[in-house]
Amino acid sequence: MKISKIEPFILHVPVTRGAISDSTHDLTHWGAPGVVIHTDSGLCGYGYTGTHAHLPTDRLIVNCISETYGPLLVGEEPHNVIELWEKLFHFPPAQWVGRSGITQLALSAVDIALWDLKAKAAGLPLWKFLGGSAGTKITAYNTDGGWLNWSSQELIDSMRRQVEEGYRGVKLKVGSPDAYRDLERIEAVRKTVGPRIKLMVDANGRWDLPTAISFGQKLSDYDVFWFEEPIWYDDLAGHAALARAVKTPIALGEQLYGLDDFRDFITAGAVHFVQPDAVRLAGVTEWWRVADLALAHHLPVVPHIGDMMQVHLHLAIAHPACKLLEYIPWLRECFEEPATVRDGWFIIPETPGAGTTLRSAALERYNVM
Ligand code: 0YR
Ligand code: MG
């Protein structure tokens, strides 16, 4: 099998109820810049990354895919994923400007498309190709019910609905200018969902260390399961200090771009729930290395799902460090086999590949290229 053509796309898909906010971002659409990798066998691999649907920035990503990586891929044997990953990651002109950010997001899309192809060529869903078993139970926790721009009443109504639907975990966005507002919302949500539901809070990197420490010390009053991205993403020493100062475990990883970053945070004791995202840290290849690293430190892996669950569901089923996976349904209608939750558990996908194959109707409707 040889790669014959690289076909980029950019999807912009509306989010829940028109607009959502966390402490740092306001979104109306989720972006999926990505690539279809065609082969001379007729098989196609699909891979994409996840963005806040800003077209000029998304164009930088697909430009990197098609102009920089494309010529390095055409004519190659797509089964050689690790070798191709190394070739792209270490391509000197790209490495000079990259190693994180846009080049990593572009490499993620390519790597995922290659794994999708590899699993399709084997006729297996990726989780099975990677050695996972069909009896694996992956619990869903819902992030799409706790946005910061919603009123307290909207928040409580949506949290109640999620518990009725069977979710065993819910995430609430915090990081408001007034931390007391966040504490009141946490108290109201804990009252609504009862004592048995996992309640996570996520500040999306907004606070400074003193605010995070004083806020973080109150979280155990509400049995908060984890405190996510409390302070600036790259502040390793700050996270380590916070982890020593508060009882609630720290979760992070969606803004880290590679194995070296995760090694430093993990060995510094600055993270407890490890949240690698395969669409942000250079694909399945790098994600698996990070998950193994976490496993070696006996830390749970709970992927951030910039892909809106598809490939991460396969990875979560296959990797022994994963038991819990985030749920956000924004892209569901785009896929041939969308990730689905029933009674709070993810259904095990059956279709060969990485779960990334797009419906042609979705490509027609949402492609903004
Ligand atoms: C919206 N999940 C997150 C969304 C999400 C963000 O900006 O991207 O909330 O990535 O933090 O845990
Ligand atoms: Mg987060």
Side-chain angles (χ1 to χ4, degrees):
M1 187 159 65
K2 291 275 182 280
I3 296 172
S4 55
K5 195 174 81 175
I6 296 294
E7 184 194 347
F9 58 82
I10 301 174
L11 307 187
H12 283 180
V13 184
V15 303
T16 304
R17 289 197 233 162
I20 60 94
S21 299
D22 61 34
S23 69
T24 310
H25 314 104
D26 304 301
L27 319 184
T28 58
H29 292 73
W30 191 250
V35 62
V36 187
I37 297 184
H38 295 262
T39 66
D40 58 5
S41 74
L43 280 180
C44 294
Y46 290 72
Y48 56 91
T49 182
T51 70
H52 293 174
H54 180 250
L55 190 55
T57 314
D58 290 349
R59 286 204 177 111
L60 293 174
I61 297 169
V62 294
N63 204 57
C64 181
I65 294 171
S66 53
E67 303 289 317
T68 301
Y69 295 148
L72 302 175
L73 291 165
V74 172
E76 290 284 357
E77 162 60 66
H79 276 303
N80 303 342
V81 185
I82 309 290
E83 188 183 280
L84 289 173
W85 190 97
E86 296 290 335
K87 178 178 167 183
L88 269 47
F89 181 76
H90 292 289
F91 181 52
Q95 190 178 292
W96 184 258
V97 301
R99 298 203 306 281
S100 62
I102 287 164
T103 54
Q104 289 297 84
L105 270 61
L107 181 50
S108 304
V110 169
D111 177 88
I112 291 166
L114 293 173
W115 281 101
D116 181 47
L117 261 173
K118 204 167 167 62
K120 280 174 176 161
L124 296 171
L126 182 63
W127 61 264
K128 201 174 215 172
F129 183 76
L130 293 171
S133 66
T136 307
K137 302 277 256 180
I138 301 295
T139 306
Y141 83 85
N142 201 323
T143 294
D144 197 34
W147 299 108
L148 207 54
N149 58 323
W150 291 0
S151 70
S152 297
Q153 195 55 51
E154 286 175 299
L155 180 67
I156 286 164
D157 291 345
S158 80
M159 291 291 181
R160 183 174 298 124
R161 233 183 353 262
Q162 290 182 359
V163 174
E164 284 165 6
E165 285 168 14
Y167 290 95
R168 291 174 180 76
V170 293
K171 188 147 82 187
L172 171 64
K173 293 293 180 175
V174 297
S176 302
D178 172 11
Y180 284 96
R181 172 187 186 253
D182 291 332
L183 283 172
E184 283 162 16
R185 285 159 72 94
I186 292 172
E187 187 174 5
V189 170
R190 177 48 85 198
K191 233 180 240 158
T192 304
V193 302
R196 316 258 322 224
I197 300 291
K198 289 185 173 70
L199 169 58
M200 297 79 161
V201 304
D202 185 356
N204 287 93
R206 193 64 178 181
W207 281 328
D208 57 22
L209 182 58
T211 309
I213 289 175
S214 63
F215 177 87
Q217 285 172 340
K218 300 190 177 91
L219 293 177
S220 50
D221 296 348
Y222 308 102
D223 192 20
V224 169
F225 192 67
W226 74 52
F227 186 9
E228 180 171 331
E229 292 203 311
I231 58 176
W232 179 251
Y233 321 116
D234 298 319
D235 185 356
L236 176 57
H239 282 95
L242 182 67
R244 286 192 296 270
V246 306
K247 280 193 212 146
T248 305
I250 306 297
L252 58 83
E254 65 182 83
Q255 298 275 346
L256 301 185
Y257 291 105
L259 186 61
D260 294 284
D261 296 334
F262 280 95
R263 179 204 54 222
D264 292 346
F265 273 79
I266 288 173
T267 54
V271 57
H272 304 111
F273 288 94
V274 182
Q275 300 181 303
D277 187 331
V279 306
R280 297 179 49 77
L281 54 61
V284 169
T285 302
E286 187 82 337
W287 186 96
W288 198 268
R289 295 168 182 164
V290 170
D292 279 348
L293 173 75
L295 188 67
H297 289 81
H298 301 280
L299 294 174
V301 172
V302 187
H304 177 259
I305 49 135
D307 64 326
M308 300 293 123
M309 303 169 294
Q310 295 302 116
V311 73
H312 286 106
L313 177 53
H314 290 258
L315 296 175
I317 295 164
H319 201 283
C322 283
K323 301 278 177 284
L324 185 63
L325 186 64
E326 182 170 23
Y327 181 85
I328 306 179
W330 299 335
L331 295 194
R332 284 192 79 253
E333 66 167 292
C334 296
F335 301 105
E336 285 194 349
E337 189 183 28
T340 301
V341 172
R342 191 182 298 141
D343 300 326
W345 306 102
F346 277 96
I347 291 178
I348 306 294
E350 288 170 359
T351 311
T356 48
T357 304
L358 293 166
R359 294 170 50 230
S360 53
L363 265 171
E364 273 157 38
R365 179 155 184 214
Y366 295 121
N367 197 354
V368 293
M369 263 195 83

